[in-house]
Amino acid sequence: ILFFMFKNKIKFARPKTSKTQNLFKNPKDINNIRFFILSNLRFMSEPEIKRQLINSGWSKEQIDYVFKTIER
């Protein structure tokens, strides 16, 4: 995954703490969603990724927030 991130020059925007604290109980949750998104971007469309995350129990607001922090 690190190779993928460097190869494709994906950078992360810094999450804003106040918004982050309101959306996520645990800061590791952001990284879990981000990891899932980055792992699947090459194989799945954005709507498919969002659908799977929603089916796994993440809220639309949480998913949209993490997508916005990923610069492509």
Side-chain angles (χ1 to χ4, degrees), residues 16-27 30 65:
K16 297 178 182 171
T17 54
S18 60
K19 177 85 171 178
T20 304
Q21 290 172 348
N22 291 337
L23 286 175
F24 300 96
K25 294 178 184 177
N26 183 345
I30 298 169
Y65 176 79

Side-chain angles (χ1 to χ4, degrees), residues 36-37 40-53 67 72:
F36 181 83
I37 291 170
N40 290 293
L41 271 175
R42 297 181 103 187
F43 311 106
M44 299 168 60
S45 67
E46 188 173 318
E48 289 174 312
I49 293 171
K50 288 182 177 185
R51 191 174 321 113
Q52 283 201 358
L53 287 168
F67 263 104
R72 292 181 252 167

Side-chain angles (χ1 to χ4, degrees), residues 8-14 38 66-72:
N8 294 309
K9 298 178 184 175
I10 294 177
K11 298 179 182 177
F12 299 112
R14 285 189 167 181
L38 292 173
V66 175
F67 263 104
K68 288 178 186 174
T69 66
I70 298 174
E71 294 179 11
R72 292 181 252 167

